[in-house]
Amino acid sequence: MGERRTWADKKTEIMSRPGAGAAYEAARVRFELGEAVRLRREQLGLTQAELAERTGLKQPAVARFEAGGTMPTIPMLERLAEALEMRLSVQFQPLREAS
């Protein structure tokens, strides 16, 4: 059997692979967008089905989005923002300031 490693060691190994940083960043963005939609939907007291109806989506698509399973287009984000009674704001940040 091999030597047991910590999660930090394993993560370092994975992140050192070519393309891993970009894949991690894309996953982070999807997760954060999904979480923001879920939190706002819950604030409004909407179900996933109700949000789906407002956006012209099906409930499973809303569930996948909220779970970070899909990367939306700008038009999709605009539809979600309108359905959630919000204004979409997209911005670029210098890498050193982004978190």
Side-chain angles (χ1 to χ4, degrees):
M1 289 255 239
E3 178 181 320
R4 198 170 179 139
R5 299 184 314 170
T6 66
W7 168 245
D9 291 341
K10 185 67 176 169
K11 181 180 176 188
T12 299
E13 175 194 329
I14 292 168
M15 293 302 288
S16 69
R17 295 176 186 161
Y24 178 84
E25 182 63 15
R28 183 191 64 77
V29 168
R30 287 192 308 266
F31 175 79
E32 288 180 1
L33 286 169
E35 182 179 41
V37 166
R38 180 186 55 81
L39 290 172
R40 178 62 178 163
R41 176 182 60 76
E42 290 173 349
Q43 284 177 346
L44 294 174
L46 296 172
T47 65
Q48 288 181 342
E50 290 167 331
L51 179 57
E53 186 176 323
R54 286 184 178 197
T55 58
L57 298 171
K58 301 217 183 271
Q59 182 275 326
V62 171
R64 272 191 310 277
F65 180 82
E66 289 185 356
T70 59
M71 181 61 86
T73 62
I74 296 293
M76 174 59 68
L77 290 174
E78 289 171 335
R79 287 169 46 194
L80 284 163
E82 183 177 339
L84 294 168
E85 302 170 7
M86 300 187 83
R87 182 176 75 71
L88 178 64
S89 173
V90 178
Q91 60 184 348
F92 289 95
Q93 296 177 329
L95 289 176
R96 60 179 159 42
E97 295 177 16
S99 56

